[in-house]
Amino acid sequence: MSNVSEFVAAAERADPTLTGSNEKEKAEIAKLVGETEGYVKDLSALNEKLTPITYLYSNSPSSADVSLYAHLHPTLISAPTTQHPQQPSLLRYFLQIQSLESVQSAQKSLPNSFPSLDIDISSLPTPERKAPPPKVKKEKKPAAAAAGVTETVTNAVSGAVNAATSAAGAVAGTAVNAASAVKDAVVGAGAAPQEGGKKKEKKEKKEKPAKAQPVKEEPTGPLPSMIDMRVGKVLDVKRHPDADSLYVESIDVGEPEPRTVCSGLVKYMTEDQIRGATIVVICNLKPVTMRGVKSYAMLLCASSKDGKDEGGIEFVYPPEGSQPGERIYFEGEKYENAKPETQLNPKKKVFETIQPGFTTLDTREAAWIDPETKTVHKIRTKDGVLTSKTLIGASLS
């Protein structure tokens, strides 16, 4: 096997932009390349580092990404994290760099160096989504406000006294006017004239009209209506030749040819339970190769809230009489007539963002609960709502 530097050099020949577009970028990328070997010594820390970013340098792939891919390769090809990763962001990053044209070109020019891995992603845990901490509003300091008023009053009184002093040698009528000016200046500054040693109450301030509330903008992020769900019928099912946990199904989703789908259901269902079932299929995920077999869709299943091993897994079923290819959609004016995307962009993580809101209600009906508004949108066909057989409060994936 060629070493990492040879592999990186081969990728750079295929895509010279990996090294950077100017001297500053080239120097920073070269520095990162030298650090990548150390990153793999602590996979948990690396997973955390990769969670908020797409690439190591800026917003496009670089030689540092190819170098990190090569250093990670021996770990992922030999460790059990291949099947059950505890670092989902790390695995996402690895698969993403593996798919770059420059990396694939390097693999062709060095045939035995860091070949692509077929990774079973059917049983990967959904990454925990942590809500950002709430913003704490700063309270106004009363003392500072009072100090401001006091300073204003003091300045006003001082100015008025100076005015009165300058008028001391004037005629009586002018003195009266100066005294009046003192009173007006003090009152105008917000201070109350004293009478009998007690302060009069301040005049009531006029209430300012309430500010108009800003109009809340419509969300621009992933929407559930982007997901293409259809009724499917399982025509055949068999065990995957190279993966003990996987079935390979042939499924009719209303297209000229059935789709091949890999699913990790061996532990939970028999072939007879799957064969001939009318189920729900997610059709616009990017195809994924699972141990040499390309999977072109995903089956929607309900997992018990007590866990898959404790409570089991069931299919989510469309209404009785549903036919392959029938459209499945979310209730709600915003979603019912929206057209799903042809293929979801893995980088935008549409399904991963929407999926945590999938559940079954107390009625066993399938629904998506909006995390912001908490509104419930049932998942249905034109003939009725999808259901699970027994599971309540289940997660759908």
Side-chain angles (χ1 to χ4, degrees):
M1 178 179 289
S2 302
N3 61 31
V4 173
S5 59
E6 289 177 338
F7 189 79
V8 174
E12 290 171 346
R13 287 194 293 272
D15 183 3
T17 64
L18 292 174
T19 62
S21 59
N22 54 53
E23 293 304 317
K24 180 183 177 183
E25 287 187 1
K26 289 179 180 180
E28 292 175 348
I29 291 172
K31 181 182 177 184
L32 279 174
V33 170
E35 295 172 353
T36 54
E37 184 174 5
Y39 289 163
V40 301
K41 294 178 181 178
D42 187 344
L43 295 185
S44 296
L46 179 57
N47 181 75
E48 185 130 355
K49 178 181 178 67
L50 295 173
T51 296
I53 63 175
T54 304
Y55 302 108
L56 289 178
Y57 184 82
S58 190
N59 296 318
S60 57
S62 70
S63 303
D65 296 301
V66 181
S67 178
L68 181 55
Y69 165 83
H71 282 301
L72 277 172
H73 194 281
T75 301
L76 290 184
I77 202 170
S78 61
T81 51
T82 302
Q83 288 298 319
H84 298 286
Q86 299 304 312
Q87 296 87 22
S89 295
L90 186 152
L91 183 57
R92 178 267 303 164
Y93 171 84
F94 184 87
L95 293 174
Q96 182 171 296
I97 303 306
Q98 176 175 278
S99 67
L100 296 176
E101 291 183 7
S102 56
V103 171
Q104 294 176 356
S105 175
Q107 290 167 340
K108 289 178 182 177
S109 61
L110 301 170
N112 297 319
S113 298
F114 313 108
S116 293
L117 302 185
D118 289 334
I119 296 179
D120 175 12
I121 64 171
S122 62
S123 58
L124 300 187
T126 302
E128 181 182 356
R129 300 172 64 215
K130 296 181 180 179
K135 293 183 178 179
V136 179
K137 292 184 178 179
K138 293 184 178 179
E139 295 184 359
K140 294 182 179 178
K141 297 181 179 179
V149 173
T150 302
E151 185 179 356
T152 303
V153 173
T154 301
N155 292 338
V157 172
S158 177
V161 170
N162 290 337
T165 302
S166 66
V171 294
T174 306
V176 170
N177 291 338
S180 177
V182 172
K183 178 180 178 181
D184 292 342
V186 174
V187 172
Q194 295 188 0
E195 184 178 319
K198 295 181 180 178
K199 290 184 180 180
K200 290 184 179 179
E201 293 184 0
K202 295 179 182 178
K203 290 184 178 180
E204 292 184 3
K205 293 183 179 179
K206 292 183 180 179
E207 292 185 3
K208 294 182 180 180
K211 291 183 179 180
Q213 294 295 325
V215 178
K216 189 173 182 181
E217 296 182 0
E218 288 293 318
T220 56
L223 299 175
S225 51
M226 295 178 176
I227 302 172
D228 180 9
M229 290 192 289
R230 303 182 214 167
V231 175
K233 186 177 180 65
V234 182
L235 304 178
D236 191 22
V237 58
K238 57 186 177 182
R239 295 287 290 270
H240 192 296
D242 298 315
D244 293 339
S245 63
L246 298 178
Y247 284 128
V248 180
E249 297 100 354
S250 176
I251 301 178
D252 179 4
V253 291
E255 297 170 336
E257 297 292 332
R259 292 199 184 199
T260 298
V261 180
C262 296
S263 61
L265 297 174
V266 172
K267 284 176 61 178
Y268 310 102
M269 300 182 189
T270 66
E271 293 181 30
D272 290 338
Q273 288 174 311
I274 298 174
R275 188 179 291 108
T278 299
I279 53 173
V280 177
V281 183
I282 298 175
C283 294
N284 61 342
L285 298 174
K286 185 176 180 179
V288 177
T289 300
M290 295 187 177
R291 293 294 184 89
V293 177
K294 202 159 192 175
S295 178
Y296 292 90
M298 187 180 87
L299 310 184
L300 188 65
C301 296
S303 301
S304 170
K305 60 184 177 182
D306 297 323
K308 295 179 181 180
D309 293 332
E310 290 77 9
I313 292 178
E314 298 177 353
F315 282 130
V316 177
Y317 292 101
E320 190 173 346
S322 297
Q323 298 300 311
E326 280 188 38
R327 175 175 174 261
I328 295 171
Y329 58 91
F330 298 84
E331 290 183 343
E333 184 178 352
K334 185 163 56 175
Y335 307 121
E336 290 184 1
N337 297 314
K339 186 177 180 181
E341 295 192 358
T342 303
Q343 181 174 295
L344 297 178
N345 185 341
K347 293 182 181 180
K348 294 183 178 179
K349 297 188 178 298
V350 175
F351 184 77
E352 292 86 347
T353 301
I354 298 301
Q355 184 274 330
F358 284 167
T359 189
T360 52
L361 308 175
D362 291 343
T363 56
R364 295 180 290 102
E365 293 176 307
W368 175 70
I369 299 178
D370 190 317
E372 293 184 6
T373 65
K374 305 304 179 186
T375 53
V376 176
H377 302 271
K378 294 181 180 179
I379 309 173
R380 61 173 301 137
T381 68
K382 60 182 177 59
D383 297 319
V385 179
L386 278 55
T387 59
S388 65
K389 278 190 175 180
T390 64
L391 296 179
I392 293 172
S395 172
L396 310 184
S397 61

